[in-house]
């Protein structure tokens, strides 16, 4: 039990002094040294920290047993079950193998919690293209190290280009993975579908990271997906605060921009003007059309006439 507690302490902080560990465990520093030696025999890479007579849990050549608390174990199982049916190619079988090993040793109380969550959850959504985990790792490493990335990119229309970017973040949105990056050739921020790109390695020189648009990568991507990529776009002024309508606008539908305590802007996009009408009116507040194609005005008038006719017919 003391060894398990020592391992748990080493996992919660980067460095521990021997005196701190001894105090937390209620033993002498000599006992701590002996217990650290036993952990090393079990395969845990516990390194000595010079100058502080302390210890640090590092990464080893092989994966030793992990110590998880109840909530962490449940989170890992749920994550593995999700990955088994996810959008990253090649992870399904690996996730199932790891899931089988973990569920074999789950205590009954945790197995009940996991099964309850699993049976009460329904996943909705169509299938999407899968992404190679190697591609995700190359991009993630370039983001972490702030290194320029070159890749071949296929546009939605089928044309191919070679792009050079300063990668900022990977974003999982719905059934797709996106890269948000500063495009050096366009001198502007751009979003790229990861399933449409093939990285060219090695990566390029280091760069100083830029602040993403609005300081929020997720909001920027949501805005790009919900308006600019659609053939029919509009901006309406909603006669309610942004806080009041935030829960009525789902990701991918549109982006809400606060104006004041009594109004906000809604940027939306869709395939057709009639689809825009449905999206705008579904927010269920008064609105004024600020910007949009002429066809949207006609579609709004037609919808208004239909509603008025329905009322008069009763």
């Amino acid at each position: 039990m003391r060894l398990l507690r020592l391992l748990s302490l080493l996992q919660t902080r980067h460095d521990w002094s021997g005196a701190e560990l001894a105090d937390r465990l209620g033993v002498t520093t000599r006992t701590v040294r002996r217990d650290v030696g036993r952990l090393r025999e079990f395969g845990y890479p516990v390194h000595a920290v010079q100058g502080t007579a302390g210890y640090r849990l590092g990464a080893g050549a092989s994966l030793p047993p992990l110590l998880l608390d109840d909530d962490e174990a449940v989170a890992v199982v749920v994550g593995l079950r999700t990955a088994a049916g996810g959008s990253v190619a090649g992870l399904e079988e690996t996730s199932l193998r790891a899931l089988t090993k973990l569920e074999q040793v789950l205590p009954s109380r945790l197995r009940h919690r996991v099964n309850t969550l699993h049976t009460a959850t329904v996943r909705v959504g169509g299938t999407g293209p899968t992404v190679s985990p190697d591609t995700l790792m190359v991009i993630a490493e370039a983001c972490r190290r702030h290194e320029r990335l070159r890749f071949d990119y296929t546009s939605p229309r089928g044309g191919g280009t070679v792009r050079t970017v300063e990668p900022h973040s990977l974003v999982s949105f719905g059934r797709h993975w996106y890269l948000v990056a500063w495009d050096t050739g366009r001198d502007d921020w751009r979003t790229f579908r990861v399933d449409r790109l093939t990285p060219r390695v090695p990566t390029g020189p280091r760069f100083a990271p830029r602040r993403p648009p609005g300081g929020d990568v997720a909001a920027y991507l949501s805005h790009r997906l919900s308006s600019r990529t659609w053939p029919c776009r509009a901006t309406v002024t909603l006669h309610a605060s942004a806080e009041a309508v935030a829960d009525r606008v789902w990701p991918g539908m549109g982006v809400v921009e606060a104006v004041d305590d009594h109004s906000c802007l809604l940027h939306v996009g869709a395939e057709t003007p009639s689809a825009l009408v449905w999206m705008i009116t579904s927010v269920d507040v008064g609105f004024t059309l600020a910007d949009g194609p002429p066809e949207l005005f006609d579609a709004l008038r037609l919808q208004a006439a239909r509603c008025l006719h329905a009322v008069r017919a009763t």
Side-chain angles (χ1 to χ4, degrees), residues 68 73 76-77 80-81 95-112 114-115:
L68 303 175
V76 170
V77 172
L80 287 172
R81 285 188 173 181
S95 300
L96 287 173
R97 290 202 309 268
L99 182 61
T100 300
K101 293 178 181 178
L102 185 56
E103 289 190 331
Q104 284 177 346
V105 297
L106 277 182
S108 58
R109 67 180 186 281
L110 298 187
R111 189 177 294 110
H112 175 72
V114 170
N115 290 336

Side-chain angles (χ1 to χ4, degrees), residues 54-72:
Y55 303 95
R56 175 186 304 161
L57 185 63
S62 60
L63 182 66
L66 298 176
L67 183 63
L68 303 175
D69 62 27
D70 287 5
D71 291 338
E72 290 169 341

Side-chain angles (χ1 to χ4, degrees), residues 25 47 69 112 137 143 149 160 167 172 200 220 270 282 285:
L25 297 172
H47 305 307
D69 62 27
H112 175 72
M137 289 302 298
C143 292
L149 184 67
S172 177
R200 294 190 175 194
Y220 169 73
S282 69
V285 297

Side-chain angles (χ1 to χ4, degrees), residues 212-225:
D216 189 333
V217 172
Y220 169 73
L221 178 62
S222 180
H223 186 273
R224 295 279 299 186
L225 296 180

